[in-house]
Amino acid sequence: MDSHDHPLLPVGVRFRPTDQQLLQYLHWKMHGQPYFKRAVLDCDLYGEIEPWEIWLRFGGTDGEDLYFFTKLKRSTNNSGRLSAHINRKVGLANGTWSGENSASPIFATKTDKTIIGYCKRFRYENVQLPEHHGEWIMHEYSLHQDSIQQAVDSNYVLCRFKKNERLKRKLQKDLEEQQLSRRRMTT
């Protein structure tokens, strides 16, 4: 399989959706309409599975994205009612998806400025596991409130999930600088 192919798509087929297309997939999922299920998979990204385990389980490839539908998990308040707060813990090692920005609006088209959804970027954080801290990036797509009326299940979001290549390049650069510094010290 070519390294640029999605692991569950036919060989040679690439899945490179726009933000608007991802929101269309999410709309179909939330409204119980048919869609190509091998392009966007179901996975609990806010559950007990660690990000690197998800990556391996679904055949992630460096430099490529995986796409998942996942359900939001709302916290409960003291009276046992669901709150507006979303619980974004992940795995069993105290990791969390930490928001890097506020939700950015996604417009219908370049000329039609109707907001159809939002995208928010998250980074995996876990200081107890420094080898994975910051290694995973997730973009969470949600539909605009007007689009979730009459949805079969309105708790879904669509997530684009990938390794943080910038972190990998930074670590590589730091390692090279350390090696160069050691060579200078020994000569």
Side-chain angles (χ1 to χ4, degrees), residues 75-83:
S75 301
T76 53
N77 60 23
N78 293 339
S79 62
R81 292 190 186 134
L82 287 179
S83 73

Side-chain angles (χ1 to χ4, degrees), residues 20-22 24 26-29 38 64 80 82 90 104 106 117 121 124 131 133 146 151 154 163 173 187:
Q20 290 80 3
Q21 290 167 332
L22 289 174
Q24 183 62 55
L26 181 57
H27 183 275
W28 290 331
K29 174 75 170 177
R38 289 172 55 186
E64 293 296 311
L82 287 179
V90 60
S104 302
I106 299 170
R121 180 182 160 108
Y124 176 77
E131 68 276 20
H133 182 79
D146 294 346
S154 62
K163 271 191 171 181
K173 183 180 175 188
T187 55

